[in-house]
Amino acid sequence: KIIILGSSSVGKTCILQKAFENEFNQNSLSTIGIDFKTKYFKFDEDKVKVNYIDTAGQEKFRAISVNYLKGTDGAVLVFDITKKETFELIGNWLDDIRENNKMSIGKMLLGNKADLEEEREVSKEEGEKLAELLQCKYYETSAKTGQNINEALDEIAKLTYTIWKKANENRNSIRISAADICCWIFKLFFRLVLSISSLCLLLLFCS
């Protein structure tokens, strides 16, 4: 599961519409609650189903959005390059991630509405600097032209899969180690029993 987070009207719904339906509706209604889009990928030899979760940015729906953070494998943080306040609020969404998801998840930062260059309030350098602090990739996107939309969503899916697979391998490694320890304890116990039995027989013979 990959959740799309950001303030209201930054273009989260339009990004998914462009990616999945190749459509752009400038007057798209704000998401109420959540919505899903699903895409299948093949990574290595695994067929992976990825759910992109479109969330409402309005404060009154924040509790619903935050609830879907639990168990999420990845997050796309979106701001509007023409509205500085949406960029400044990215930190609030990050706090929500930290408070509601204890796992290490894949993250990506998107500066949307790159087609409105003349109205820009957030420089590309500011976006790149924030992404560097977050240790994630930064894309400037446009739901209107399609700029970097598919590339970004495909890359966060690949990153999320990589993190998920590594976590599973670590868990399997721990299970194997636990099994090895149990086997070693059993062998040690068996040898101890044999030693005690031998000692008892020796004492009995000597007496």
Side-chain angles (χ1 to χ4, degrees):
K1 293 186 293 183
I2 297 174
I3 194 166
I4 317 295
L5 297 169
S7 302
S8 181
S9 301
V10 297
K12 301 184 296 296
T13 299
C14 290
I15 285 172
L16 291 181
Q17 285 180 342
K18 189 68 175 181
F20 286 86
E21 301 163 21
N22 197 26
E23 294 181 356
F24 174 72
N25 182 2
Q26 192 167 359
N27 299 314
S28 178
L29 296 175
S30 296
T31 302
I32 298 176
I34 57 131
D35 193 13
F36 292 90
K37 298 291 184 184
T38 300
K39 187 173 182 178
Y40 290 88
F41 294 88
K42 189 170 183 180
F43 297 131
D44 299 331
E45 297 301 318
D46 298 326
K47 187 176 181 181
V48 182
K49 176 183 177 182
V50 176
N51 287 322
Y52 294 92
I53 306 172
D54 181 17
T55 62
Q58 301 100 313
E59 190 63 33
K60 62 183 177 180
F61 295 120
R62 194 180 189 91
I64 298 175
S65 300
V66 166
N67 188 56
Y68 275 85
L69 278 168
K70 299 170 183 176
T72 296
D73 304 293
V76 178
L77 299 156
V78 186
F79 68 90
D80 178 350
I81 68 163
T82 72
K83 293 182 180 179
K84 186 83 170 184
E85 65 270 22
T86 65
F87 176 74
E88 294 170 343
L89 288 171
I90 289 294
N92 292 352
W93 296 106
L94 280 169
D95 289 341
D96 287 339
I97 293 173
R98 295 188 188 103
E99 291 170 10
N100 294 277
N101 194 316
K102 304 305 180 184
M103 300 185 300
S104 175
I105 67 173
K107 295 188 294 293
M108 179 171 285
L109 181 66
L110 300 186
N112 195 37
K113 304 188 183 181
D115 55 288
L116 301 177
E117 182 64 34
E118 294 180 357
E119 301 175 36
R120 180 188 286 271
E121 292 183 0
V122 182
S123 69
K124 187 175 182 180
E125 290 72 23
E126 287 177 296
E128 290 173 339
K129 186 175 181 179
L130 178 57
E132 186 177 350
L133 288 172
L134 301 178
Q135 297 182 319
C136 71
K137 192 73 177 284
Y138 174 61
Y139 280 101
E140 292 204 333
T141 58
S142 169
K144 184 176 182 179
T145 67
Q147 176 184 334
N148 289 331
I149 296 292
N150 290 323
E151 292 87 343
L153 294 182
D154 288 357
E155 185 164 335
I156 186 62
K158 175 67 173 178
L159 173 63
T160 300
Y161 165 79
T162 301
I163 293 173
W164 173 85
K165 186 173 183 180
K166 185 176 181 180
N168 276 352
E169 288 173 350
N170 289 340
R171 282 194 290 268
N172 289 336
S173 176
I174 291 171
R175 291 192 191 102
I176 292 171
S177 298
D180 289 342
I181 290 171
C182 289
C183 183
W184 180 80
I185 291 173
F186 176 78
K187 288 179 179 178
L188 183 63
F189 177 76
F190 183 71
R191 288 173 183 171
L192 182 61
V193 170
L194 284 178
S195 297
I196 293 172
S197 298
S198 299
L199 180 60
C200 290
L201 287 172
L202 181 61
L203 291 172
L204 182 64
F205 178 77
C206 293
S207 62

